[in-house]
Amino acid sequence: MENEATLKERYARHLMLDDVGQEGQDKLSSGRVLIIGAGGLGSPVCLYLSAAGVGRIGILDFDTVEISNLQRQVIHYTSDVGKSKISSAQAKMSNINPNVKIDTYFEKLTESNAADILQNYDFIIDATDNFTGKFLINRICVGLNKPFSHAGVLKYRGQTMTVIPHKSACFSCVFSEQPSSELDSYFRAGLFGVTPGIIGCIQASEAIKYILGIGDLLLDSLLTMDIKTMSFRKVAIKPNPHCNVCSNS
């Protein structure tokens, strides 16, 4: 842990902000965020949360770095090819900020382990690239009453929303039917490299804002982006009173 003078210098630009300051920075250092997926979306989240000084960050991923990842997964370098994504990410995050505690989980998120892992964190980042994972994260987060950020990307487009269970619409309120796992190839189509970077930065900002208790979160709204046309749209959504995950009916 760095000394107080060094910490003040490190976080100087945060400390200058009226709605962050030392109190807010202390909140960040006490914050706990889990990032599920250390790929295109997870890369900027890992980098910005560690830079911001979020005290404890978990990374869950069961994949290794491939050279085809490097076009968009900016936390990984050519020298990391063949390494686990969690070890690659951990090294960069620790180099950015040695004050951050990093938990690593080299495993697939499943029905049997999800609750045990997620319960240890204040905010969850869904940076996965498959429908099965996204529906599972939504179910577990709602069951544990854990706020989380959803995101998905394809080609030049991306979308993201934030969920506070039982206070805002959940992922299943918007996408009620889980598609066949065969459609997970949808996420492995072409992808413009910066698309997940932009959406991942928004996810990181939502986690930081939640911990600080500032600003407006993406609740009851789906933010969509098309980077090719540089268009952003916020679509209002409502909790589904018949949702099979978050409704009380």
Side-chain angles (χ1 to χ4, degrees), residues 38-241:
L41 291 167
S43 287
V45 180
C46 288
L47 293 171
Y48 274 104
L49 293 190
S50 54
V54 173
R56 182 179 176 188
I57 304 171
I59 321 167
L60 187 149
D61 199 298
F62 64 99
D63 207 355
T64 56
V65 179
E66 300 176 5
I67 197 164
S68 62
N69 300 147
L70 304 183
Q71 165 256 10
R72 63 201 178 278
Q73 299 181 17
V74 294
I75 202 167
H76 309 301
Y77 302 162
T78 301
S79 58
D80 296 316
V81 171
K83 298 178 183 177
S84 69
K85 289 184 179 179
I86 58 169
S87 64
S88 169
Q90 182 183 33
K92 315 309 188 307
M93 295 162 70
S94 295
N95 200 28
I96 290 172
N97 194 342
N99 305 291
V100 173
K101 174 177 171 53
I102 302 166
D103 305 323
T104 56
Y105 304 91
F106 187 65
E107 55 190 294
K108 185 176 182 178
L109 193 73
T110 65
E111 294 280 358
S112 60
N113 67 9
D116 286 341
I117 296 172
L118 271 61
Q119 68 181 352
N120 297 310
Y121 298 90
D122 305 316
F123 192 92
I124 312 299
I125 301 284
D126 169 14
T128 61
D129 63 355
N130 62 87
F131 287 115
T132 302
K134 293 183 182 305
F135 279 89
L136 173 60
I137 291 167
N138 183 69
R139 288 197 307 275
I140 300 299
C141 283
V142 170
L144 294 175
N145 206 30
K146 295 287 184 180
F148 72 99
S149 169
H150 151 77
V153 289
L154 176 70
K155 296 184 178 179
Y156 301 91
R157 293 173 287 146
Q159 66 181 35
T160 182
M161 64 183 288
T162 298
V163 177
I164 296 183
H166 310 297
K167 293 185 178 179
S168 69
C170 80
F171 180 72
S172 290
C173 290
V174 184
F175 306 97
S176 57
E177 296 292 330
Q178 181 168 338
S180 163
S181 59
E182 295 176 1
L183 289 181
D184 282 341
S185 59
Y186 171 91
F187 290 99
R188 296 177 177 84
L191 185 59
F192 192 56
V194 300
T195 303
I198 295 169
I199 295 294
C201 283
I202 294 173
Q203 289 190 282
S205 69
E206 290 289 278
I208 293 170
K209 285 159 53 185
Y210 175 81
I211 293 169
L212 291 173
I214 65 171
D216 298 321
L217 299 173
L218 284 169
L219 304 177
D220 292 329
S221 58
L222 183 70
L223 179 67
T224 64
M225 174 198 76
D226 187 329
I227 198 64
K228 197 171 186 181
T229 60
M230 199 49 75
S231 58
F232 289 76
R233 182 185 179 204
K234 188 186 288 188
V235 181
I237 55 179
K238 294 181 179 180
N240 178 357

